[in-house]
Structures are given as C-alpha cells and as structure tokens.
Amino acid sequence: MTVAVIAEKPSVARTIADVMGATQKGPGLRRGNGYVVTWAIGHLVGLAEPHELDPAWKPWRFGQLPMLPREWRLRVHQQTADHFALVAAVLNAPEVTRVVCATDAGREGELIFRYIYRQAGCSKPVDRLWVSSLTPDAIKAGFRELRPGAAFDRLAAAAEARSRADWLVGMNFSRGYTLKFGPDLMSVGRVQTPTLAMLVTREQAIRDFRAVPYREVEATFGAAPAAYAGTWFDPARVKAEGEDQAARLPADGALAEEIRARCTGQRGVVVSCAGTEKSAAPPPLYDLTELQRHANRLFGLTAQATLTAAQALYEKHQLLSYPRTDSRHLSASVAATLGPIVAAVAPAYRDAVAPGTGTAPLSRRFVDDAKVSDHHAIIPTVTPRAGKPLNPDEARVYDLVCRRLLMAWHADHRTRVTKVVTAVPAEAAAGAPRDHFRSS
C-alpha cells in the first residue's frame, strides 16, 4: 500500500520526500517509507485550444465570435508530455491506494493538481497537504493533519472559473482585435490588457507633463542655535489654491526680488504657532503586494524580483512562510507559535527589539482569524538563517520580513508637527505690505 504525493515543483518534492523518508531516487520521482513523491513542473495540463474543442473554430472568422464552449476539455502541454505520462503512471499505479495533493497551497496550485488528476483519469481518494512553510516540522504536522480533497472543491471551482475566464477573454478578444486591426497578432488577456492600459495611461501622463517654472522666497529668522527657516506665502491664496500654490511666485523673479528686498534686515514676529500630535501604529505585516511595493521603494526591486526572492526563501531555504498571500494578519493558532520564531530571528536585531517581543500577545491589528484567507501574512520561519547562502535580493527581502514582524511589538510612534507663521516686518504702517512666512 503506497501513497502518491504530487508536488508542484521538483525542489518542493525533494524537501517533502526527505522529510517523509522517500529517499530512493528514480526518474522524476522519489520512493520510500510507503510514499512515492513526484512533481508537476507547473502546468502540465491546460484547457484545450478552440480547434480541439470544435474543428469549425480553426479558421479565424468574425462570424464565429464569441466562441462559447459547451464542454471544457483538457489537453496535455506537448513540451512536458513525457513528464505528464510519468505522473499519470504514478497516480494510476496498482500499488498506489491514496493520493496527496501537495501542490502550492493556493488557488493556482489546486488547479494544477485537479487538471492533472482529471486528465490522468485517476479516481483514487485524495487528501490535501496544506502548509504555510516548508520546514520539516511544518511538513510533518501537515501530513498528520491531512484534509479531505473534497474540502477544497470550492477553491478548485474558483480556480477553474478563473481559468475559463482567461480562455474566453483571451481566445475571443485576441481573434477579434487581430481580425479588425491586423495583420499582426494582437494578444488580449484578462489581466495583461488592463495592466498594459494602466502602464500606457501613466506613460502618456508623463509625456504630456509640462514643467512650469516658479520661484519661492525663503528666509532665516533668528541666530543659531535657535534659527529657523520659513517660506513666503500669500495668506489670501491659501484657501482657494492650497498652501503649496500660495507660496509660488512668477518665474521671472521680479516679485520674488521685491519681497526679498523689503524683508531683508527686517524684524519678524510670530503671529501663530499651532501644533498637532500624531501617532502612528506599527505597520501591518506583509502580504505579497505590500512586500513587493516596499522592496521596490527601498531597493528598486521589481515585483518579479521580489517574488522570485520570496519564493526561494520559502522553497529553497525554508526561511519564510508561503509568500503568495493576500492576507496581512495571522491566525490565533499561528500567533501562538511566534515565540520560537522570534527567538530565531531577534538576535540579529538586538538594539531594535522592543520589550515583550515574542512573549506579549499581539493585538487584533496583527491577529484576526476572520481576516486570514488561504494563508496568513508573510513571516519568518523558525529555521535559523545561519549557514544559508542568500543572494543580495533574498537577503534584503528576508531582512524586511524579519523587521516587519519584530515591529509588531513596538509602541506607537508619536510625533508633534508644529506650524509657525512669521510676519515681516514685526510692525507695519497702515497700508504697508506685510509678508508672511510658513515654517513646519
């Protein structure tokens, strides 16, 4: 009696095989301890092409659009057909009595497995391995808590709906636009085309931007160390134009020079001083989008570079939890395991660790079961970094995630913003101009 385990990538399959004792190597698989572990290499199976669903759809004609399949058949991708045959043979081997879906724990991973399982004609019972990290302890716990495959039928249905939507939009609109605007192929996609439209709109805005030169007048009041600077502004323009516009003067410099001349050497008087207390809570934990945005802002990493680094930290180094998450919260059960994780990462940040880190309970800003979908926020794992050869991108991304978790125990950052308005001259004769400078 053997259990077949289908992973999504070779590296993940090897990690699972090592943990579960399947150490005998074979072509495209590992065996041992009652398991045979193989992998998918991404999408081995996809939706059939139009002409494979209906021969009448092979010619590209407007009259055939829209193409709306009555039956959604699958096809094996030819470039990986040999590997699909191997995986199908594992699934249908007589000694295999159960199957474990160990593809990535998310919508796309579920789709990859379901398409392979269906195309292979397998009908054996399926369990689902659902883990958020690939540490040995997480994998062992996942196998102890395997869930019935049927528990993920709704996730699979959502994945298939997305796959069919991609087909309907891509196949129909690509043909329609190519027939209308050809002769070159025009590729239209459910995601790629709106994304391209945003890029084009932004690029057009950049090209259409016209810089408008202007002048500002700055003045320094007092003497060091109590000196402060202020920018001239017109109080009458603030309400209608805003503070920034009210400080801008014509680019020819005539008015700016006039203001400079009448203010130089004059005494100023503070006519108003208003302060605002501000409090900023520690930032929420990372989901993939926020991690990509922050890595781009700090290091110039592209979204793909950040994802590649995070995936390597998850799959290869087992240093991060599952990165393809849209949640910025932790479940209560995961929050209860943070002590050993903090113990593993905190020593590298000795001076920045707040009291109670890893021991004091976190607030609902970080822990909320209702806001955790398929996966919790990205956090480090209990695996020590020592001895892990990380490339520069991986080291930066790992550092960001560690710091973001440790920030969760910090107190709110409190600041006071004070706005000072200084009038020059201190005393003005009736009808004489009085200039105002803003400092903040």
Side-chain angles (χ1 to χ4, degrees), residues 113-127:
F113 172 79
R114 296 288 180 123
Y115 276 179
I116 292 172
Y117 182 83
R118 188 184 308 166
Q119 186 68 10
C122 187
S123 58
K124 294 171 183 177
V126 176
D127 292 317

Side-chain angles (χ1 to χ4, degrees), residues 19 22 40 133 164 281 350 387:
V19 171
S133 69
R164 294 178 184 184
R350 222 173 252 111

Side-chain angles (χ1 to χ4, degrees), residues 58-183:
K58 189 168 186 178
W60 287 32
R61 299 192 185 97
F62 259 118
Q64 296 171 333
L65 303 180
M67 298 176 291
L68 303 173
R70 294 179 178 274
E71 179 185 0
W72 293 91
R73 294 198 297 276
L74 302 176
R75 65 189 290 268
V76 176
H77 295 309
Q78 289 307 305
Q79 62 269 31
T80 52
D82 291 345
H83 191 73
F84 169 77
L86 184 150
V87 175
V90 168
L91 288 171
N92 293 311
E95 68 272 17
V96 170
T97 56
R98 296 191 71 81
V99 178
V100 172
C101 170
T103 49
D104 283 357
R107 187 179 68 178
E108 203 63 19
E110 194 70 22
L111 184 72
I112 288 171
F113 172 79
R114 296 288 180 123
Y115 276 179
I116 292 172
Y117 182 83
R118 188 184 308 166
Q119 186 68 10
C122 187
S123 58
K124 294 171 183 177
V126 176
D127 292 317
R128 187 55 158 109
L129 176 69
W130 194 269
V131 294
S132 290
S133 69
L134 292 175
T135 62
D137 287 346
I139 291 171
K140 289 176 182 177
F143 270 88
R144 288 194 300 268
E145 301 168 5
L146 290 173
R147 298 166 64 183
F152 297 87
D153 284 349
R154 290 185 177 181
L155 180 65
E160 288 206 47
R162 194 276 310 153
S163 177
R164 294 178 184 184
D166 284 349
W167 192 101
L168 289 169
V169 171
M171 295 299 180
N172 285 292
F173 281 90
S174 293
R175 289 193 178 198
Y177 274 84
T178 300
L179 289 169
K180 185 172 179 61
F181 300 107

Side-chain angles (χ1 to χ4, degrees), residues 293-315:
R293 185 183 294 120
H294 202 189
N296 176 260
R297 185 164 64 249
L298 293 180
F299 310 121
L301 297 183
T302 65
Q304 183 57 53
T306 301
L307 175 58
T308 299
Q311 280 290 133
L313 290 164
Y314 165 67
E315 294 175 9

Side-chain angles (χ1 to χ4, degrees), residues 256-276:
E257 178 59 30
E258 181 182 325
I259 294 169
R260 186 198 68 79
R262 67 175 178 246
C263 291
T264 300
Q266 295 289 328
R267 290 179 63 250
V269 61
V270 173
V271 295
S272 72
C273 181
T276 304

